[in-house]
Amino acid sequence: MNIRSRLSTAIASQYFPFFVTVSLFIILYIAGIMNYRGFTHAQVFYNLFIDNAPLIIVTVGVTFTLLIGGIDLSVGSVVALVCMSLAYLLKNTSIPVFAAVPLVLLIGIAVGFIQGYLITMFDMQPFIITLAGMFFCRGLTAVISRNTIIIDNPAYAALASERIRIFDTGFISVGAIVAIIVLILATIFLKYTKTGRTIFAIGGSESSASLMGLPVFKTKILVYIISGFCSALAGIVYSWIMLSGYTLHGLGMEMDAIASSVIGGTLLTGGVGFMPGTLFGVLIQGIILTFITFQGTLSAWWTKIVVGALLCVFIIMQALITEHKNKLSSSSSIKSDK
Amino acid sequence: MGDTILKMRHIDKIFPGVKALSNVDFNLQSGEVHSIMGENGAEKSTLIKVLTGVYPRNNGTVTLYDKEIFPKTPKEAQTLGISTVYQEVNLCPNLSVAENIFIGREPRKFGFIDWRQINKRSQELLHTFNIDIDVTKTLDNFPVAIQQMIAIARAVEIDAKILILDEPTSSLDEEETKRLFTIIRELKKRNMGIIFISHFLEQIYELCDRITILRNGELVGEYITTELPKVELVAKMVGKDLDSVKEFDKAAAKSIPSDQLFLEANNINCIGKLNQMDLTIHKGEVIGLAGLLGSGRTETAEILFGINQINKGELKIHSDKVQLSNPMKAMQKKIAFCPEDRKLQGIIGDLSVRDNIILALQAKEGMFRHIPYQKQVMLADDCINLLKIKVSDREQLIKNLSGGNQQKVIIARWLITEPELLILDEPTRGIDVGTKSEIQKMAVTLAKTKGMSVVFISSEMDEMIRTCTKLIILRDHKKVAEIENEEISSENIMKAIAGGEN
């Protein structure tokens, strides 16, 4: 009886999906170590961060929009647009690197602001508005150049290939460090600032949030600006991996980000999510890819199949949790609570 | 009781075409529980909405602590110290209990939210209400009753001077209600002014110090609860002078029911809607369901039409046991239902009068048996002539008709399905006097000439007295009395509603 009631409390806890995700990651990692000798190298773990740094940053941004019950489909295209603009600026103009980077970050902020303003001001479906934003940014990328532009600025390339050693166990890239910093800042922001809490309140019930006197309008726009900014930042990190601008960069990244966020415990209906969970959502995708690489014979597309299956499992889990909570709030009366 | 903290004077509220409130006064003292009472259309919710800034007032003054206020949104009203707790709790289910109390005014340390202090202070605050729960758990872990108390705690924390409780007890059980009342009494001691709205008479008498009664958007008066007997309260709400109603209520040319039974209900029960009721309806009988708003009238009708299912007891139609599990089943048993909310549940505004009339018949016939256009025209024209529906032509959009004519169209819709039982839920609400009496007459005529059984639900007593041969009186989702033939009079009805007290 006691175990059952404790389990019931655990399932209802807001961190339950996070623990499930982390456990899954650990199990996968142990399975990897048992099957492949290569998994024991710390560098395999670091590579998860190096390879997925852009996706981590994009997922952080997308999670913000999911938390208010919205969505942002434009992120992958913004990544492409930012890579392309950066490559174009460095190749064809004399603008130095330290000026070009803030400039392209502004692109992300502007896209986010316009989308957020339209969605909030005219109470429009975020799905449609950001879908339009996705097509628009992808198209704009092709307008700048339909061919690949290589980034060969020496200073920029040096920054991209910079490796930071972690004791003697291996190394990570600058991009991975940026991703981790973004993740930590986002976690603190969501938990310890008024705006962060307002985001959760809006996701829980927008009408209640405004009746409680919270600045709903401003916060909603801010969320889309954050998402736009994160995609632009991810675009820069992406360009450090690719060292080029190309129309098809970041294709389908928005879907990977949404999948990672959901696997990490974010509810698509809004109001529930934990930033470190989204990190593990990304890492789980990365580890599956590592498995396939080590295995050697399977196609990389198997990642998609596994992620698809995982997504189903997590969505069903979320539905069950929600149902469990409904039972708690409807069945128990005050008496049983004492 | 203390000083008068809120004064509303000469409040007028005009909606396009309707004067909702006219010259209403309301006073609230600190440390009192004050109830606003009134039947359907008394506009008490309009008065509350004017106070909380949902609607702007057209005329009059609202003063709080001798300062005139003009709240434009509920948020502004809240800042001024007027908090509302609704039946549907307006909190965020995904946030912790503590956060729901403090969000928007969180204490901070070095610019970051101080969670420890929030949790500690919430725990203490709830403890004063005798609620000891884990405040770090999210709100959706707790039952509605607790959620409501947390909403009240939030109002206390933001230092509300006036607390409006809008139907707070309608989803609570007895035990929970008792605890809520303990909290309300505690707030009274802290000199808060509380406006309590409920349709449970017992609760009003248990809790409230004063009662303000509204009728048709006008002030009837302000009374001290202990000096106002329940019968008199009911009389004032429905607009009858107790002396004048003792006069003879003449029953003119009513329908005489046949001995043949149409429907029989034995001990039917529906959790949270209706409590163990017996009911018999004869052919050609006009039967009335009387009671105050929320007493279970509509709920009964919805059970008869298969919208709500019974969990106990049995229903018999023509002596055969039936299970009305959905409206379609009820329609096939020749039952028709004109719902209370005409705009929402009755008319399809963007369809023509003809389309609206044939809707139920088409649904009954089935989607694939199209009614030929010629027949549709014939049926529609027949109804328009028979019921004297005023339309420019049968293709006019129904949303452009007056309320009375819309109601007639809805009735016509059901009449062409040739029902044996017609349920009319508030068929005359918001309709001009002429059409009202037409509809009443029609109900009686249908019963007389076609042998149809009619269930008539209305808040207006006159109407019921004039048309019904049997009245079922409901209170708190229970049948409390059955009045027949000569017994039917305003006085008897009001006594039954008030609970047999003189």
Side-chain angles (χ1 to χ4, degrees), chain A residues 98-109:
Chain A
F98 65 84
V101 168
L103 215 58
V104 295
L105 283 177
L106 274 180
I107 295 177
I109 291 173

Side-chain angles (χ1 to χ4, degrees), chain A residues 191-192 197 200 204 271 332 334, chain B residues 94 99 104 113 115 142-143 179:
Chain A
K191 178 80 184 170
Y192 291 102
R197 300 319 296 172
F200 277 95
S332 61
I334 296 181
Chain B
N94 60 325
E99 187 167 13
I113 292 171
W115 285 102
F142 300 100
R179 274 188 83 175

Side-chain angles (χ1 to χ4, degrees), chain B residues 483-499:
Chain B
I483 308 176
E484 275 183 273
N485 303 323
E486 293 77 33
E487 302 269 286
I488 295 179
S489 70
S490 307
E491 199 189 349
N492 285 344
I493 298 174
M494 280 195 278
K495 270 188 193 157
I497 291 176

Side-chain angles (χ1 to χ4, degrees), chain A residues 73-292:
Chain A
L73 297 175
S74 69
V75 289
S77 303
V78 172
V79 165
L81 179 61
V82 163
C83 280
M84 182 61 90
S85 313
L86 202 59
Y88 182 86
L89 288 177
L90 294 180
K91 182 113 183 161
N92 299 331
T93 65
S94 54
I95 297 173
V97 174
F98 65 84
V101 168
L103 215 58
V104 295
L105 283 177
L106 274 180
I107 295 177
I109 291 173
V111 171
F113 172 75
I114 294 168
Q115 295 186 144
Y117 186 80
L118 289 175
I119 291 166
T120 315
M121 187 68 196
F122 303 107
D123 202 18
M124 289 201 272
Q125 281 294 326
F127 189 95
I128 293 299
I129 296 296
T130 59
L131 186 69
M134 174 175 126
F135 289 138
F136 182 80
C137 292
R138 187 69 68 183
L140 208 56
T141 312
V143 168
I144 297 174
S145 163
R146 292 176 64 180
N147 302 318
T148 310
I149 302 179
I150 306 291
I151 300 175
D152 48 12
N153 183 307
Y156 200 75
L159 182 68
S161 57
E162 179 67 34
R163 292 289 179 266
I164 297 110
R165 293 205 64 81
I166 302 175
F167 306 114
D168 269 342
T169 55
F171 56 83
I172 56 169
S173 64
V174 180
I177 291 176
V178 171
I180 291 167
I181 291 173
V182 167
L183 190 87
I184 292 171
L185 287 180
T187 311
I188 294 172
F189 176 76
L190 281 176
K191 178 80 184 170
Y192 291 102
T193 66
K194 283 191 171 208
T195 313
R197 300 319 296 172
T198 305
I199 289 171
F200 277 95
I202 293 173
S205 165
E206 197 173 320
S207 60
S208 295
S210 69
L211 275 179
M212 292 199 279
L214 303 172
V216 172
F217 189 88
K218 268 194 300 191
T219 310
K220 275 179 87 173
I221 295 179
L222 181 72
V223 161
Y224 286 96
I225 291 176
I226 291 173
S227 178
F229 173 80
C230 283
S231 348
L233 192 62
I236 291 165
V237 173
Y238 198 77
S239 74
W240 289 341
I241 297 175
M242 295 299 185
L243 283 176
S244 66
Y246 179 49
T247 347
L248 297 184
H249 273 352
L251 198 64
M253 208 175 192
E254 59 283 339
M255 294 304 160
D256 286 338
I258 293 167
S260 304
S261 195
V262 170
I263 292 174
T266 310
L267 272 191
L268 282 177
T269 45
V272 178
F274 185 47
M275 232 12 128
T278 65
L279 168 69
F280 283 93
V282 175
L283 293 186
I284 283 176
Q285 290 201 46
I287 206 167
I288 294 164
L289 192 63
T290 315
F291 259 95
I292 288 161

Side-chain angles (χ1 to χ4, degrees), chain B residues 350-365:
Chain B
D350 289 318
L351 290 184
S352 70
V353 171
R354 172 181 56 82
D355 285 328
N356 269 287
I357 287 179
I358 61 131
L359 210 56
L361 186 63
Q362 182 72 71
K364 200 179 162 194
E365 298 272 302

